[in-house]
Amino acid sequence: MSEERRLEVLRAIVEDYVSTREPVGSRVLTERHRLGVSPATIRNDMAALEEAGLIAQPHTSAGRIPTDKGYRLFVDRLAEVRPLSVPQKRAIETFLSEAVDLDDVLTRAGRLIAQLTGQVAVVQYPSLRRSGLRHLELVPVGGERLLVVVITDTGRVEQRYLEVPSAAAGPDGTAGTVLDDGTLGELRARLNAAAAGKGLTDLPVTFARVVESLDPTLVDLATAVAETVVETLGEENEERIVLAGTANLARASMRFEQGLSPVLEALEEQVVLLGLLTEMAVDGVAVRIGHENRLEGLAQASVVTSGYGSGDEGGDPVAILGSIGPTRMDYPGTIASVRAVARYLSRVLPH
Amino acid sequence: MSEERRLEVLRAIVEDYVSTREPVGSRVLTERHRLGVSPATIRNDMAALEEAGLIAQPHTSAGRIPTDKGYRLFVDRLAEVRPLSVPQKRAIETFLSEAVDLDDVLTRAGRLIAQLTGQVAVVQYPSLRRSGLRHLELVPVGGERLLVVVITDTGRVEQRYLEVPSAAAGPDGTAGTVLDDGTLGELRARLNAAAAGKGLTDLPVTFARVVESLDPTLVDLATAVAETVVETLGEENEERIVLAGTANLARASMRFEQGLSPVLEALEEQVVLLGLLTEMAVDGVAVRIGHENRLEGLAQASVVTSGYGSGDEGGDPVAILGSIGPTRMDYPGTIASVRAVARYLSRVLPH
DNA sequence: GGATGGCACTCGGAAGGCTGGAGTGCTAAG
DNA sequence: CTTAGCACTCCAGCCTTCCGAGTGCCATCC
């Protein structure tokens, strides 16, 4: 009863079950996989695999299906990486290169993954907290409001409205003195000169230094702007997520035993989903199978993710993307797709 | 056989069917609705309603359900407007006022509608083509690229990268001469001064005039910028949509006879969905019932929309939002929710 | 003439029973 | 260790039965 063949049997079971969606029995296994032994032998192996908790039978006298643990072993040791085909790679490249801005890139990445895997895709926006400031823009809006536009290293653009602090307004109550183009231009120039390239950690100090050196009438305004910028970059809940391919879910709905509403619900809880993603932040590809996900709703689902935007290899990735599908998914294919898109994305994004 | 009572019967059927999801028979109708007549009488009325194509039976010896035509009549003549409760209104107001920027407002609006109606919500981004330019920002990125940030009347921020035309670069091949802060600042100032508030129709002319008056070394660059801006505002496919409450769909999946995949598919086709929305553009609330939607996938669904952002009443709305659910939806409730959110949105948005 | 009560008829869907086939585990033999 | 044979289990599909809800029509009443 060679250990080796037993694993081969496990692989066969996983592959068959994934492609047919039916519990697989000893007979079909021998027919479809040239294992060189008879069904009876397979049955012995299967008994051992079941003993080890790698496979299970839905009911007596039914075929076997892999358990979460079985999938785990398959992914870790049995799955062969299957690189994408050249046309596929080319498709990714062209489709992504057609994007006009960051939003567009991420949306397209989502659609790509959804289409390649036939599952749901999740793409997290580049984390603001890990981004540096590229440029800061101040636009007066109406008399008393200022639009603060923050452009990050990663090409993300965030905007916040700011009520101009009343103390900054002229003595007659109008804000004319401060909000004219010249003053604002100078403030912008100073702030930008000092802060360019700096990240969340350095910014407060940097800004403080700039504020000190300013004309007293500008201090209040500058402080408010600085605060807004730091807040914007520090906001945790402002993290965004793109979902794509929800329709795929419905099409594959029979694959989820308990219906797909728990899954859809989990997907709608963006906060929770974000937690899941950041938890999985690694540079390479990570796989969570079934109950390995702490989320109730995803107990029947597996999540395949990869970090992206970590520059040219190494370092913490700037955000995560991935694909979510039934535990009985095509792991090698999904992993390949997710990785491929993540890599291209890393290359395309400004770094 | 009074006409009046017959309509009353129709209303009763719609209301019962919507709340119970079961075909409704003559007996329960008399029990639940104090119509003051016997089941036999109701049966006569129902025969007439069926004759008129307003109701139908799924099978012989089953109760009646409203047809699309029946719902239409109900919506047009029978439904009583049911305003939202005060706490509900307050909830909308506070939730929307907490939003930090446009993206956030629209996302929140979507969630609100989804939650209020228990259905899927659709929110279209303010149309770029109907927006005026509020501010234009030019940010140098690396040596040879320029980030063009366009901020519209409606608070939408769009960004485009622009390769600096080589002719604009200095004779030595570097772009230093043109892309320094001073020149750029001047260009920005000129363009902004000329273009502020102008819309898609006026911009080309305006820009052309500015370009004429510029230093010859700047002409190429300015032209490129102007082109980018006009392109950005004119792009039709760049229209965006926010979806919310997809999970609600799954929860109500049994309400769709043919499963929900056609519906989900229709929702994923953003282009198509946009077409649907723009087709329904009216200032007030519009309702499309079942087959009135040209989309195959939405034959079992109804769409309730409202324009928003049309300033203080009147004029074309700047975009559309709405809710999509099964034909057997709570029309009065949905209409009230959609209208309420649209109104608050119109108020909150910069105009 | 409209409203009503009575009655025969229809039909969908749930409940129960039966059967075939796929699959297992065990044992004994190679 | 592998294999063939065999008895056993159990699901899934199929058919049948049966009940209740609901209808349509007719004769009757106000």
Side-chain angles (χ1 to χ4, degrees):
Chain A
M1 198 195 284
S2 80
E3 177 72 16
E4 206 173 317
R5 193 193 53 221
R6 265 204 310 232
L7 290 183
E8 207 49 46
V9 171
L10 176 59
R11 160 194 271 125
I13 291 176
V14 171
E15 285 173 357
D16 257 42
Y17 184 58
V18 166
S19 66
T20 68
R21 282 172 234 169
E22 307 254 313
V24 11
S26 49
R27 158 154 295 147
V28 294
L29 223 41
T30 59
E31 286 168 359
R32 275 199 277 246
H33 288 271
R34 311 215 175 173
L35 293 168
V37 290
S38 79
T41 310
I42 302 288
R43 285 205 283 278
N44 289 330
D45 291 342
M46 294 206 296
L49 288 171
E50 184 158 11
E51 181 70 23
L54 297 169
I55 58 178
Q57 358 185 19
H59 348 271
T60 330
S61 95
R64 305 306 219 286
I65 61 175
T67 60
D68 290 354
K69 201 175 160 193
Y71 285 122
R72 168 54 60 195
L73 185 70
F74 174 80
V75 169
D76 287 347
R77 298 185 37 202
L78 267 30
E80 287 159 8
V81 190
R82 184 198 326 143
L84 296 185
S85 70
V86 177
Q88 274 180 315
K89 286 191 181 177
R90 202 169 302 144
I92 295 181
E93 201 150 10
T94 48
F95 190 63
L96 281 186
S97 67
E98 281 168 9
V100 320
D101 66 5
L102 181 68
D103 284 342
D104 203 17
V105 173
L106 300 187
T107 313
R108 279 165 185 261
R111 290 211 197 125
L112 267 178
I113 296 182
Q115 208 199 321
L116 288 170
T117 62
Q119 297 170 347
V120 177
V122 196
V123 181
Q124 181 192 6
Y125 265 64
S127 163
L128 284 173
R129 326 184 74 192
R130 297 211 189 106
S131 307
L133 187 66
R134 169 173 289 150
H135 187 84
L136 175 63
E137 196 50 56
L138 305 176
V139 186
V141 178
E144 297 157 357
R145 294 168 87 198
L146 197 59
L147 181 63
V148 180
V149 181
V150 176
I151 303 171
T152 74
D153 274 356
T154 43
R156 195 163 159 181
V157 177
E158 285 290 314
Q159 26 168 338
R160 290 289 180 284
Y161 286 106
L162 178 64
E163 302 293 328
V164 174
S166 57
D172 54 352
T174 69
T177 19
V178 166
L179 285 190
D180 68 278
D181 278 1
T183 339
L184 217 51
E186 196 201 321
L187 182 57
R188 166 175 50 217
R190 305 278 304 258
L191 287 176
N192 272 314
K198 296 258 172 34
L200 180 57
T201 35
D202 300 333
L203 277 177
V205 193
T206 316
F207 278 144
R209 214 169 290 150
V210 174
V211 168
E212 271 175 31
S213 73
L214 282 174
D215 184 294
T217 56
L218 278 176
V219 167
D220 279 353
L221 179 59
T223 315
V225 170
E227 258 172 33
T228 307
V229 173
V230 172
E231 247 172 47
T232 305
L233 288 180
E235 247 168 56
E236 195 158 8
N237 36 6
E238 232 340 82
E239 307 281 12
R240 287 214 178 114
I241 282 185
V242 185
L243 276 184
T246 337
N248 292 333
L249 244 188
R251 215 169 295 126
S253 71
M254 358 21 174
R255 301 207 190 183
F256 293 92
E257 318 284 322
Q258 302 161 6
L260 69 177
S261 37
V263 183
L264 269 178
E265 268 163 41
L267 291 183
E268 287 238 326
E269 281 297 330
Q270 306 238 343
V271 188
V272 184
L273 199 53
L274 256 167
L276 175 70
L277 288 185
T278 46
E279 211 174 80
M280 295 179 71
V282 208
D283 194 30
V285 174
V287 182
R288 284 281 177 86
I289 297 166
H291 292 88
E292 294 173 9
N293 296 302
R294 300 213 192 120
L295 300 181
E296 284 283 328
L298 295 183
Q300 309 265 345
S302 288
V303 187
V304 177
T305 60
S306 167
Y308 72 88
S310 46
D312 299 323
E313 293 312 314
D316 277 356
V318 97
I320 315 284
L321 90 205
S323 176
I324 302 180
T327 29
R328 69 166 71 107
M329 69 167 63
D330 169 18
Y331 289 96
T334 306
I335 292 175
S337 306
V338 167
R339 171 164 32 207
V341 174
R343 284 201 182 145
Y344 281 110
L345 213 51
S346 298
R347 267 188 17 209
V348 168
L349 283 187
H351 38 243
Chain B
M1 202 194 283
S2 80
E3 178 71 17
E4 205 173 317
R5 192 192 55 222
R6 266 205 309 237
L7 291 182
E8 207 52 42
V9 169
L10 176 58
R11 158 192 273 128
I13 292 177
V14 171
E15 284 173 359
D16 258 42
Y17 184 58
V18 165
S19 65
T20 67
R21 283 173 233 166
E22 308 256 310
V24 13
S26 50
R27 159 153 295 149
V28 295
L29 224 40
T30 59
E31 285 167 1
R32 277 202 275 249
H33 287 270
R34 310 214 176 174
L35 293 167
V37 291
S38 77
T41 311
I42 302 289
R43 285 206 283 280
N44 289 330
D45 291 343
M46 295 205 297
L49 289 172
E50 186 160 8
E51 181 69 22
L54 297 169
I55 58 178
Q57 337 182 236
H59 349 271
T60 330
S61 97
R64 304 307 218 290
I65 62 175
T67 61
D68 289 354
K69 200 174 162 196
Y71 284 122
R72 168 55 60 195
L73 186 69
F74 175 80
V75 168
D76 288 348
R77 299 184 38 200
L78 266 31
E80 288 159 9
V81 190
R82 184 197 328 141
L84 296 185
S85 69
V86 177
Q88 274 179 315
K89 285 190 181 177
R90 204 169 300 145
I92 295 180
E93 200 151 9
T94 49
F95 190 64
L96 282 186
S97 66
E98 280 166 11
V100 321
D101 65 7
L102 181 68
D103 283 343
D104 203 17
V105 172
L106 300 186
T107 313
R108 279 166 185 260
R111 290 210 197 125
L112 266 177
I113 296 181
Q115 208 199 322
L116 288 170
T117 63
Q119 299 170 347
V120 177
V122 197
V123 181
Q124 181 192 6
Y125 266 65
S127 163
L128 285 172
R129 326 184 74 191
R130 297 212 189 105
S131 305
L133 187 65
R134 169 175 293 151
H135 188 82
L136 176 60
E137 196 51 56
L138 305 175
V139 185
V141 178
E144 297 159 356
R145 294 168 85 199
L146 196 60
L147 180 63
V148 180
V149 180
V150 177
I151 303 172
T152 73
D153 275 355
T154 43
R156 197 164 160 178
V157 177
E158 285 290 313
Q159 23 168 340
R160 289 289 180 283
Y161 286 105
L162 178 64
E163 302 293 328
V164 174
S166 56
D172 55 351
T174 67
T177 19
V178 166
L179 284 190
D180 68 278
D181 279 3
T183 339
L184 217 51
E186 195 199 322
L187 182 56
R188 165 175 51 215
R190 305 276 307 256
L191 288 176
N192 272 314
K198 296 259 173 31
L200 181 57
T201 33
D202 301 334
L203 277 177
V205 192
T206 315
F207 279 143
R209 214 167 292 150
V210 174
V211 169
E212 272 175 30
S213 72
L214 282 176
D215 183 295
T217 57
L218 278 176
V219 167
D220 279 353
L221 179 58
T223 315
V225 170
E227 256 172 31
T228 308
V229 173
V230 172
E231 246 173 45
T232 305
L233 288 180
E235 247 169 55
E236 195 157 9
N237 37 3
E238 230 342 80
E239 305 280 12
R240 288 215 176 111
I241 283 186
V242 184
L243 276 185
T246 339
N248 291 332
L249 244 188
R251 213 170 295 126
S253 70
M254 357 24 174
R255 302 206 191 184
F256 291 94
E257 319 284 323
Q258 301 161 7
L260 69 179
S261 37
V263 183
L264 270 177
E265 267 162 42
L267 292 183
E268 287 237 326
E269 283 297 332
Q270 306 239 343
V271 189
V272 183
L273 201 53
L274 256 167
L276 174 70
L277 288 186
T278 45
E279 211 174 80
M280 294 178 72
V282 207
D283 193 30
V285 174
V287 181
R288 283 280 179 87
I289 296 167
H291 292 89
E292 293 172 11
N293 296 301
R294 299 213 193 120
L295 300 181
E296 284 283 331
L298 294 184
Q300 308 265 346
S302 289
V303 186
V304 177
T305 61
S306 168
Y308 72 88
S310 46
D312 300 322
E313 294 311 316
D316 276 355
V318 98
I320 314 283
L321 56 73
S323 176
I324 303 181
T327 30
R328 67 165 71 107
M329 71 167 63
D330 169 17
Y331 289 95
T334 306
I335 292 175
S337 305
V338 167
R339 170 163 34 202
V341 174
R343 285 203 181 144
Y344 280 110
L345 214 50
S346 298
R347 265 184 23 204
V348 169
L349 284 186
H351 38 243

